[in-house]
């Protein structure tokens, strides 16, 4: 019998602009899987631990408040936040530039009021910061292997024992926040953009005056929720209504605008590249095969990490590509070199979600699911 994997990281990218309330429900479901596992450890029949899961998505417009601000907004402030805003350009989910409204939603994360919406990639890692140690995990795995052999081995294939080789004693809250920030900084570097940490939370441009990624997390029994909001191509006017994250005098910026300022999207600008390119003939064959199956026919080269010039980098500013790059960097920080090999792409149907939630998700996202990422 082959050895069980030490870690498997599930990545689900919701392939459509998604109402925020659906994402909150899905996140709560994933967190509950970890909590149920921890509760089972004190029973005679503990269940296998769920795999760490990274949820990435682009939400409908929403202002979220931190746990200390739930009742602090006045009726006048709420009226300002809920006022309509007409988009600057057409998109697949708003072809006629009709006014858009933002919801105001309380959350359990730390931090103050911030904005999430179209053009922003939101990343929610759900994992246990204090997983079983290697020795304990091996013992548990052996026990489940024995049970699996009696049951035909079905349970073995689904087993994931979370052991973070970079953090054998678990991850402290401070180190976890640093990991989120560093994963974002490394992701920006793939587009030749520079981000940095400051004394304030989040990731900032080189001047330290404009935030490009907000950060807010919540922990329950060392299980993480919420995470990072990275401005990729966000309409920054939404932020004019708030003091973003409570920092007076600070601004916000997006990857697209920062790239314009520093010339990242010019032909003569190149990133370093990470892997060898795919021959054009192979690309064309893959592209044709995908179209025959009814797929979108995106070039695998566009999503690869090979060297690209500025115009090609600009073409990669799509939520799915940015999300995959962020998850790769996070996995490397969690597991070490080669950590991206632990990442497995899954769909919402693979997460054992309630049928009602799955039906509502499909109903509310179906109108623009297949073409909206081309807006970016």
């Amino acid at each position: 019998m082959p050895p069980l994997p030490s870690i498997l990281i599930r990545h689900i990218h919701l392939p459509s602009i998604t109402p925020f309330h659906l994402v909150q429900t899905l996140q709560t479901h994933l967190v509950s899987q970890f909590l149920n596992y921890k509760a089972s450890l004190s029973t005679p029949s503990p269940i296998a631990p769920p795999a760490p899961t990274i949820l990435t998505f682009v939400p409908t417009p929403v202002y979220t408040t931190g746990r200390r601000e739930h009742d602090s907004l006045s009726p006048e402030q709420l009226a300002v936040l809920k006022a309509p805003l007409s988009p600057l350009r057409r998109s697949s989910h708003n072809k006629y530039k009709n006014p858009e409204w933002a919801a105001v939603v309380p959350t359990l994360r730390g931090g103050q009021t911030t904005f999430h919406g179209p053009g922003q990639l939101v990343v929610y890692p759900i994992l246990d910061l204090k997983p079983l140690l290697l020795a304990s995990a091996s013992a548990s795995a052996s026990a489940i292997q024995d049970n699996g052999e009696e049951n035909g081995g079905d349970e073995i294939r689904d087993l994931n024992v979370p052991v973070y080789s970079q953090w054998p004693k678990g991850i402290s809250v401070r180190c976890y926040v640093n990991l989120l920030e560093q994963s974002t900084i490394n992701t920006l570097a793939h587009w030749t953009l520079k981000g940095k940490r400051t004394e304030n939370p989040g990731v900032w441009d080189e001047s330290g005056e404009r935030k490009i990624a907000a950060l807010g997390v919540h922990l329950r029994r060392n299980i993480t929720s919420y995470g990072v909001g990275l401005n990729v191509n966000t309409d920054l006017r939404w932020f004019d209504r708030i003091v973003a994250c409570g920092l007076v005098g600070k601004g916000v910026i997006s990857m697209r605008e920062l790239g314009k300022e520093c010339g990242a999207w010019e032909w003569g600008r190149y990133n370093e590249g990470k892997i060898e390119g795919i021959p054009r003939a192979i690309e064309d064959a893959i592209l044709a095969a995908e179209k025959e199956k009814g797929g979108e026919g995106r070039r695998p080269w566009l999503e690869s990490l090979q060297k690209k010039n500025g115009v090609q980098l600009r073409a990669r500013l799509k939520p799915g590509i940015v999300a995959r790059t962020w998850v790769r960097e996070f996995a490397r920080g969690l597991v070490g070199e080669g950590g991206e090999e632990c990442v497995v792409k899954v769909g919402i149907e693979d997460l054992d979600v309630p049928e009602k939630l799955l039906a509502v998700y499909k109903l509310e996202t179906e109108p623009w699911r297949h073409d909206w990422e081309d807006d970016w």
Side-chain angles (χ1 to χ4, degrees):
M1 182 176 299
L4 294 168
S6 60
I7 184 173
L8 184 69
I9 302 173
R10 300 185 298 187
H11 174 211
I12 173 172
H13 177 69
L14 301 179
S16 176
I17 188 169
T18 306
F20 188 76
H21 72 92
L22 293 179
V23 179
Q24 274 200 307
T25 303
L26 177 57
Q27 177 181 234
T28 299
H29 172 75
L30 295 171
V31 170
S32 68
Q33 290 180 338
F34 275 96
L35 296 176
N36 291 339
Y37 156 69
K38 287 203 163 187
S40 76
L41 294 177
S42 59
T43 68
S45 303
I47 61 177
T53 302
I54 304 177
L55 174 63
T56 59
F57 63 98
V58 177
T60 50
V62 60
Y63 291 99
T64 62
T65 61
R67 57 181 174 268
R68 298 179 182 177
E69 288 191 315
H70 290 179
D71 300 317
S72 64
L73 296 178
S74 67
E76 292 77 14
Q77 289 173 314
L78 287 172
V80 170
L81 297 182
K82 294 181 177 181
L85 180 68
S86 296
L88 295 174
R89 61 193 183 95
R90 294 180 177 86
S91 62
S92 60
H93 69 280
N94 191 348
K95 297 181 179 180
Y96 302 103
K97 299 197 295 184
N98 294 321
E100 298 178 351
W101 285 262
V104 180
V105 178
T107 70
L108 296 175
R109 62 163 176 80
Q112 300 187 43
T113 302
T114 192
F115 172 77
H116 300 304
Q120 185 186 81
L121 176 71
V122 184
V123 183
Y124 284 174
I126 298 99
L127 67 154
D128 188 355
L129 295 185
K130 304 292 182 181
L132 291 173
L133 297 177
L134 184 60
S136 301
S138 299
S140 300
S142 298
I144 297 178
Q145 278 185 341
D146 292 340
N147 293 334
E149 290 175 350
E150 296 174 2
N151 296 314
D154 291 338
E155 296 180 41
I156 298 174
R157 289 191 293 269
D158 296 329
L159 177 65
N160 301 297
V161 181
V163 178
Y164 314 139
S165 56
Q166 292 290 88
W167 313 91
K169 295 183 179 180
I171 311 174
S172 68
V173 176
R174 181 184 296 272
C175 289
Y176 177 65
V177 170
N178 287 340
L179 177 58
L180 295 177
E181 292 174 339
Q182 192 60 50
S183 300
T184 305
I185 292 170
N186 293 348
T187 297
L188 294 174
H190 284 278
W191 277 264
T192 72
L193 303 176
K194 294 183 179 180
K196 73 174 188 178
R197 297 187 184 92
T198 70
E199 67 276 9
N200 297 309
V203 176
W204 302 74
D205 68 355
E206 282 191 287
S207 71
E209 296 298 319
R210 297 178 298 181
K211 180 180 285 191
I212 194 168
L215 189 149
V217 299
H218 177 255
L219 295 177
R220 182 181 177 188
R221 298 194 67 187
N222 294 311
I223 306 303
T224 66
S225 55
Y226 299 97
V228 176
L230 174 59
N231 295 326
V232 180
N233 187 19
T234 318
D235 186 343
L236 301 178
R237 295 178 300 160
W238 289 105
F239 290 95
D240 294 339
R241 303 177 178 186
I242 61 174
V243 178
C245 300
L247 299 173
V248 179
K250 301 294 185 180
V252 290
I253 191 69
S254 67
M255 291 178 66
R256 183 175 184 177
E257 294 303 316
L258 186 59
K260 285 182 180 180
E261 290 183 7
C262 67
W265 313 141
E266 297 175 1
W267 275 105
R269 185 78 168 262
Y270 286 86
N271 67 349
E272 295 181 358
K274 300 294 182 181
I275 63 174
E276 295 297 325
I278 302 174
R280 185 60 177 263
I282 297 179
E283 279 190 29
D284 292 339
I286 296 175
L287 188 67
E290 185 180 351
K291 285 185 175 180
E292 286 181 4
K293 295 178 181 179
E296 298 179 17
R298 298 186 186 278
R299 287 196 178 279
W301 172 87
L302 189 65
E303 301 184 8
S304 74
L305 300 180
Q306 78 172 91
K307 188 174 181 179
K308 297 177 177 65
N309 64 38
V311 175
Q312 294 160 342
L313 288 174
R314 171 63 185 85
R316 296 183 76 232
L317 274 181
K318 297 181 182 295
I321 299 176
V322 179
R324 279 188 287 276
T325 304
W326 194 98
V327 172
R328 290 184 188 121
E329 294 297 335
F330 183 82
R332 292 189 186 106
L334 193 66
V335 181
E337 189 65 29
E340 65 274 14
E341 299 299 327
C342 299
V343 178
V344 177
K345 182 180 178 181
V346 299
I348 189 171
E349 299 85 357
D350 303 316
L351 298 179
D352 192 28
V353 300
E355 289 294 331
K356 183 177 180 181
L357 173 59
L358 188 60
V360 173
Y361 168 77
K362 291 181 177 180
L363 178 66
E364 295 195 25
T365 62
E366 184 64 35
W368 47 77
R369 182 177 303 167
H370 297 294
D371 61 351
W372 82 276
E373 288 205 8
D374 287 327
D375 295 337
W376 290 47

